Amino acid sequence: AGNSGNNAAAPTGEAAAQPVGISMMSPFYSAQPPTTDDSNAAFKALQEKLGVKLDVTFIPGTTYNDKLNVMLASGNLPQVMVVLDNKNAAIINAVRSGAFWEIGPYI
């Protein structure tokens, strides 16, 4: 019996691994935040393409900086977040104290 090329072997290595979880915080400016479940085809496709599981917290744009300041003060930060005001004293202090990763080499 020859090899037909239709082997159904179990995936190994990275293919068998679960998607990497990434926590994010982002502002939104519409009446309702975007959905992040399977009903949002674009969000679902993005996760599948990147092989990640995104845990996004959407904060109303009008209160985003306040929420960001509270999170900085508490030390409970997501892995990825939007900084709307890079002159914000709390952001500058957090950068100086090493609260953020240097990503320049990865870009």
Side-chain angles (χ1 to χ4, degrees):
N3 185 351
S4 65
N6 292 330
N7 292 340
T12 59
E14 288 184 39
Q18 294 295 321
V20 173
I22 298 175
S23 60
M24 301 177 68
M25 186 171 85
S26 178
F28 72 93
Y29 298 98
S30 58
Q32 295 293 321
T35 60
T36 58
D37 59 15
D38 286 345
S39 68
N40 184 332
F43 193 81
K44 183 179 177 183
L46 178 66
Q47 291 185 108
E48 289 173 359
K49 179 75 173 170
L50 298 175
V52 298
K53 173 65 177 144
L54 297 174
D55 177 19
V56 182
T57 301
F58 289 102
I59 309 294
T62 56
T63 61
Y64 186 82
N65 282 331
D66 293 336
K67 177 70 172 177
L68 179 61
N69 288 336
V70 168
M71 293 183 82
L72 284 167
S74 72
N76 187 18
L77 297 172
Q79 293 169 306
V80 178
M81 63 185 177
V82 174
V83 174
L84 299 174
D85 178 12
N86 64 355
K87 304 230 187 281
N88 179 327
I91 295 292
I92 292 169
N93 290 334
V95 169
R96 288 180 178 155
S97 69
F100 297 104
W101 296 337
E102 172 58 48
I103 62 169
Y106 302 103
I107 298 177

